[in-house]
Amino acid sequence: NHGVLKRRPFGLGSLIAGCPCLAAVVVGKGVAQFETAPAAIGLARPVSPFEVLDLIRRIFVGIHQADTFTGVCQRAGKIAHNVSRLMELYGSKGLGISAVTKVVCGNPDIAQVLIQAGIGVLADSRIANIIRMRDAGIEAQFLLLRTPFLSEAETVVKYADLSLNSDLSVIEELSRFALMQNIKHRIILMVELGDLREGLMPPDVNSGVEFVLELDGIELAGIGANLACFGGIKPDNENMGQLSLIAKEIEEKFGLTLSFVSGGNSANYEWFMSTPDMGMINNLRLGESIYLGCETLHRKSIPGLFTDAFTLFAEVIESSIKPSLPYGEVCQDVSGQVPKFQDLGQIRRAILG
């Protein structure tokens, strides 16, 4: 029906988590197969990569809770290929990669693929995922990908080698627990460059560095920035140049060598490809490029990368012929939006559990 639904008689199918959109393909009362297609079942609209990543995350949470694993290992070689290709690409201009594991909830099998491909730093925004990987015996440096909760400072110092930080009171708390545990916790101080997600304002960076250097148990490993996140601000020569200038000033003023000048994430691809001089930038934190094979400014695939690294399964719990247009008075839906639908007549709709 309208290019969205196809019939297959039985059993298994796969979801290809690629760009730019997905659709469900019904296979009777068995398992739904997802494939790249222009619209999602029952929605008649494109599915954004954000929804793809959220679906992957939720399925991995379910996999973790059920202690089962289906599908991903079939394409582990494609993940390894993407990592190796990205390391080669960014390494050609002196940039290292920290691989982000939050979308797979710190799955140890995927983490091991990343390590075997040559990754040395695994980054995750949830300390529980870092603990999961450590408990599974994954050997790497672990980076907490956001400023820690004050309530988790003790746990962060225990399990994470590094953390991104932008609040001095949090860093002070990390220092307290680092001293208690006789550990040197390394931090990357985040700088605000316009996206307004996190970071010290540029005029406050020097005083922030002075504060950090006076704390026992804390080592300033570097500085970083996050763009194309909250505000959608594009990494470019101006803001990357500003980060490089700040890094240079810190090294000269305080007599330091910064191990990390982390310029951003998968959104930095376009800047990287168009700029011969990386300045002081020597690190990126990549997730979506590894798992979906695309950059995140326009969700375009990166040449030479696989966009079908994942197979996800969902069971059809209802399959029936129903109207495509809901009937009755329309108000807000479950997400707080007022939905709009195109009337496609009677269609077969499936509900995935």
Side-chain angles (χ1 to χ4, degrees):
N1 291 342
H2 307 282
V4 177
L5 300 179
K6 303 174 185 176
R7 277 190 178 278
R8 293 185 184 175
F10 305 104
L12 297 178
S14 64
L15 181 151
I16 302 176
C19 295
C21 47
L22 302 175
V25 180
V26 171
V27 289
K29 288 284 187 177
V31 177
Q33 180 180 18
F34 293 71
E35 294 178 349
T36 51
I41 182 171
L43 297 177
R45 64 169 178 81
V47 179
S48 75
F50 294 108
E51 292 170 287
V52 175
L53 289 171
D54 184 61
L55 175 60
I56 295 172
R57 181 191 64 79
R58 286 188 282 116
I59 292 208
F60 266 100
V61 169
I63 288 168
H64 183 25
Q65 292 171 343
D67 196 27
T68 59
F69 191 79
T70 303
V72 174
C73 283
Q74 296 176 10
R75 296 196 175 100
K78 294 188 176 183
I79 297 173
H81 168 89
N82 284 359
V83 172
S84 297
R85 178 71 183 90
L86 288 166
M87 290 177 65
E88 178 184 353
L89 175 66
Y90 287 109
S92 68
K93 296 182 184 178
L95 271 63
I97 291 174
S98 301
V100 178
T101 57
K102 62 181 180 179
V103 71
V104 295
C105 293
N107 184 279
D109 292 328
I110 298 301
Q112 190 60 40
V113 168
L114 299 172
I115 295 302
Q116 290 176 347
I119 290 294
V121 179
L122 297 177
D124 206 293
S125 60
R126 299 172 181 87
I127 192 63
N129 293 340
I130 291 176
I131 294 172
R132 182 187 180 195
M133 290 185 282
R134 279 205 183 275
D135 287 347
I138 300 300
E139 296 183 1
Q141 291 189 74
F142 289 97
L143 166 66
L144 184 65
L145 205 55
R146 57 160 173 76
T147 292
F149 297 144
L150 276 171
S151 60
E152 291 183 344
E154 182 177 9
T155 306
V156 169
V157 168
K158 182 177 180 180
Y159 289 100
D161 302 290
L162 305 100
S163 58
L164 304 185
N165 283 268
S166 58
D167 189 281
L168 300 183
S169 64
V170 173
I171 302 172
E172 194 169 27
E173 191 75 349
L174 293 172
S175 169
R176 184 168 74 89
F177 283 109
L179 288 173
M180 291 173 59
Q181 298 179 34
N182 195 27
I183 291 173
K184 181 76 75 171
H185 185 72
R186 306 173 72 202
I187 69 165
I188 295 174
L189 199 60
M190 299 301 283
V191 181
E192 179 56 66
L193 296 180
D195 195 71
L196 295 180
R197 170 180 144 147
E198 62 187 328
L200 299 176
M201 295 300 292
D204 300 327
V205 171
N206 281 341
S207 61
V209 171
E210 289 177 354
F211 180 87
V212 170
L213 294 179
E214 292 177 357
L215 294 174
D216 293 324
I218 296 295
E219 177 185 335
L220 181 63
I223 64 171
N226 212 335
L227 295 162
C229 186
F230 175 77
I233 301 302
K234 176 182 178 179
D236 57 23
N237 285 333
E238 182 177 353
N239 47 43
M240 290 296 97
Q242 185 180 12
L243 186 63
S244 288
L245 181 60
I246 292 171
K248 184 178 181 181
E249 290 177 349
I250 290 173
E251 290 193 339
E252 291 178 350
K253 180 174 181 178
F254 297 98
L256 300 174
T257 298
L258 299 175
S259 300
F260 293 90
V261 181
S262 189
N265 49 48
S266 295
N268 284 64
Y269 173 77
E270 189 173 292
W271 163 77
F272 173 85
M273 294 299 291
S274 63
T275 306
D277 184 8
M278 300 292 100
M280 296 284 289
I281 311 300
N282 64 9
N283 173 265
L284 295 175
R285 310 175 302 276
L286 302 184
E288 194 157 339
S289 295
I290 293 172
Y291 302 114
L292 298 186
C294 64
E295 51 80 36
T296 56
L297 290 180
H298 312 289
R299 261 68 195 195
K300 294 180 180 179
S301 60
I302 296 174
L305 300 190
F306 289 107
T307 59
D308 59 346
F310 288 93
T311 299
L312 306 179
F313 300 100
E315 189 171 349
V316 174
I317 59 175
E318 176 189 301
S319 177
S320 57
I321 302 296
K322 290 186 177 181
S324 58
L325 187 67
Y327 46 92
E329 183 179 354
V330 178
C331 295
Q332 291 185 5
D333 62 16
V334 68
S335 63
Q337 305 299 315
V338 178
K340 294 181 180 180
F341 294 88
Q342 182 181 359
D343 189 355
L344 304 175
Q346 296 289 107
I347 61 171
R348 178 172 292 278
R349 299 176 73 251
I351 300 174
L352 307 181

